[in-house]
Amino acid sequence: MTSTAQKQDVVDLLLRQHEEIKSLFAQVRGATGDQKRQAFQQLVRLLAVHESAEEQVVHPAARDDAGDAVVDARLHEENEAKHVLSQLYDLGVDAPDFDARFAEFEQAVVAHATHEEQEEFPELRRKTDPERLRRMAGAVRAAEAVSPTRPHPSAGESATANMLAGPPVAVFDRMRDAVRDWRQSHKD
Ligand SMILES: [Fe+2]
Ligand SMILES: [Fe+2]
């Protein structure tokens, strides 16, 4: 691990992932056929990594800092997003109304990320010990270790990626377990 990586706190990693999520939305929009399916699956994995770390580690910590109303609103948006993601998966990227529904989903996810960036993360940074925020980055890294979130440079998907193909509910369950394992071995 580089010293830069060690200094990054959980908010740094989540902000970086917000940008990666937006770029994957654009990739799905711009692709067709197998490429579109693959980009969509990559988006499922990244959202699973990202939201699992937020739900289990970041939002609970933010309750004291940003308040219950802010955190409950974010959790509601995340549950709704998981529901819509499953519907999109069942629909399939080739369905005639996929693009219109995907565009609505993108708007909702981007709005959700903006709410976190404006209402939650600044309060978390202001009121939580910086060392604790750096430790919390471990939850994001643990989830990323299960499912690489960066685009694969080679065309062939790894065995791990294949294992993580499939319905969003199953992918989110695996990520939840990965973050829970991390939590059980760390106090935060
Ligand atoms: Fe979130
Ligand atoms: Fe987020």
Side-chain angles (χ1 to χ4, degrees), residues 8-23 46 50 54 58 112-122 124-125 140 144 150:
Q8 285 192 318
D9 69 18
V10 71
V11 175
D12 290 321
L13 297 189
L14 296 175
L15 291 175
R16 186 251 290 159
Q17 287 185 337
H18 282 180
E19 294 314 305
E20 290 174 354
I21 288 165
K22 288 171 192 168
S23 130
L46 178 53
H50 183 80
E54 286 182 344
V58 179
H112 169 72
T114 302
H115 289 146
E116 288 176 341
E117 290 174 17
Q118 293 180 347
E119 298 169 28
E120 183 176 2
F121 296 169
L124 190 67
R125 266 230 169 111
V140 178
E144 279 188 331
R150 305 296 178 96

Side-chain angles (χ1 to χ4, degrees), residues 4-183:
T4 310
Q6 280 167 344
K7 278 190 212 135
Q8 285 192 318
D9 69 18
V10 71
V11 175
D12 290 321
L13 297 189
L14 296 175
L15 291 175
R16 186 251 290 159
Q17 287 185 337
H18 282 180
E19 294 314 305
E20 290 174 354
I21 288 165
K22 288 171 192 168
S23 130
L24 272 174
F25 270 108
Q27 278 186 43
V28 174
R29 269 191 275 116
T32 53
D34 282 346
Q35 268 190 332
K36 190 175 188 177
R37 218 175 333 273
Q38 206 171 13
F40 178 75
Q41 197 60 40
Q42 211 161 2
L43 178 66
V44 170
R45 296 206 305 262
L46 178 53
L47 285 173
V49 165
H50 183 80
E51 304 300 351
S52 298
E54 286 182 344
E55 282 171 21
Q56 292 189 59
V57 176
V58 179
H59 296 330
R63 282 194 181 277
D64 290 339
D65 301 340
D68 286 335
V70 165
V71 170
D72 288 341
R74 296 301 79 79
L75 286 168
H76 178 77
E77 290 161 357
E78 284 167 10
N79 284 331
E80 179 62 21
K82 269 186 250 184
H83 182 64
V84 176
L85 198 55
S86 288
Q87 289 180 335
L88 286 166
Y89 177 86
D90 290 342
L91 193 64
V93 298
D94 297 324
D97 55 341
F98 179 89
D99 289 349
R101 292 173 66 173
F102 187 74
E104 270 178 40
F105 178 63
E106 177 174 5
Q107 277 190 350
V109 171
V110 170
H112 169 72
T114 302
H115 289 146
E116 288 176 341
E117 290 174 17
Q118 293 180 347
E119 298 169 28
E120 183 176 2
F121 296 169
E123 291 304 300
L124 190 67
R125 266 230 169 111
R126 207 160 62 82
K127 297 179 184 164
T128 297
D129 173 45
E131 185 48 44
R132 184 175 177 214
L133 289 178
R134 278 193 289 274
R135 279 201 306 277
M136 285 162 65
V140 178
R141 294 199 183 95
E144 279 188 331
V146 177
S147 176
T149 54
R150 305 296 178 96
H152 289 274
S154 66
E157 290 275 82
S158 69
T160 308
N162 287 336
M163 186 185 81
L164 288 161
V169 170
V171 178
F172 272 80
D173 280 354
R174 288 191 194 107
M175 288 308 151
R176 187 200 53 213
D177 291 348
V179 177
R180 195 172 48 200
D181 289 348
W182 180 89
R183 269 175 49 215

